[in-house]
Amino acid sequence: MTEKVRLKVNGQEIEVNAGPDTSLLSVLRNHLSLVGARFGCGLGLCGSCDVILEDQVVHSCDTPLWSVAGKNVRTLEGLSSAGEPSPLQRAFIEEQAAQCGYCVAGIIMNATALLERNPNPDDAEVRTALDGNLCRCGAHNRMVRAVLRAGGTTAAAESSR
């Protein structure tokens, strides 16, 4: 049984017809064609599906649609402005922080939330914030440098090389 659920995605009010227990990830990818968040484990353990709900990072694979009704969801696609990458996305490009890219959207969403809470984190804070995101390619050190660069901690970024 489907029902209409209203929410805000990347600043736009939308209405979705789906079952209330449909995962937010499924709605984003299959109903809205927002494919930045990826299906990884389906259990909320890997972080590849992470999005920002209000001001908290959530695993969209195990977040039911009913729980986001009336709330604001931000995805990777919502971080750029006028087609330009966000400062964090630019830093990921400059540091060549993505290898295969599968985990990167979730990592960028976690890093975005961190930088919104603390615009100038240190190395340990970045590593703690990204601890729940699995990257099998071994690009974590480059990702940490990218977050530090975006946060303006260039000295810390240089020391983690």
Side-chain angles (χ1 to χ4, degrees):
M1 182 159 151
T2 65
E3 59 185 57
K4 291 182 181 186
V5 177
R6 295 185 63 76
L7 63 150
K8 190 182 265 189
V9 177
N10 298 327
Q12 276 191 302
E13 293 278 341
I14 61 153
E15 188 172 87
V16 176
N17 283 318
D21 290 330
T22 302
S23 73
L24 176 58
L25 179 62
S26 177
V27 168
L28 293 172
R29 292 183 64 84
N30 301 328
H31 295 260
L32 303 176
S33 298
L34 297 172
V35 296
R38 309 287 176 103
F39 181 87
C41 66
L43 301 170
L45 300 173
C46 72
S48 64
C49 67
D50 287 353
V51 298
I52 298 174
L53 176 62
E54 298 295 328
D55 61 351
Q56 298 295 313
V57 176
V58 299
H59 305 301
S60 63
C61 71
D62 64 0
T63 299
L65 182 60
W66 66 262
S67 71
V68 300
K71 295 182 180 173
N72 185 34
V73 176
R74 279 190 295 158
T75 69
L76 182 70
E77 294 88 348
L79 297 183
S80 62
S81 175
E84 290 295 315
S86 71
L88 179 59
Q89 291 168 314
R90 262 194 312 280
F92 264 67
I93 294 165
E94 291 164 359
E95 290 291 338
Q96 298 180 5
Q99 190 143 336
C100 81
Y102 205 83
C103 65
V104 173
I107 289 173
I108 287 177
M109 297 311 293
N110 268 289
T112 296
L114 168 65
L115 292 172
E116 288 173 353
R117 288 189 311 272
N118 177 2
N120 198 18
D122 64 24
D123 188 271
E125 290 169 307
V126 173
R127 290 180 188 282
T128 298
L130 303 184
D131 193 44
N133 294 91
L134 301 179
C135 172
R136 294 182 181 214
C137 297
H140 244 80
N141 286 332
R142 291 189 310 248
M143 293 178 192
V144 169
R145 282 195 308 267
V147 177
L148 292 171
R149 176 185 284 228
T153 315
T154 54
E158 290 300 317
S159 70
S160 72
R161 286 188 190 264

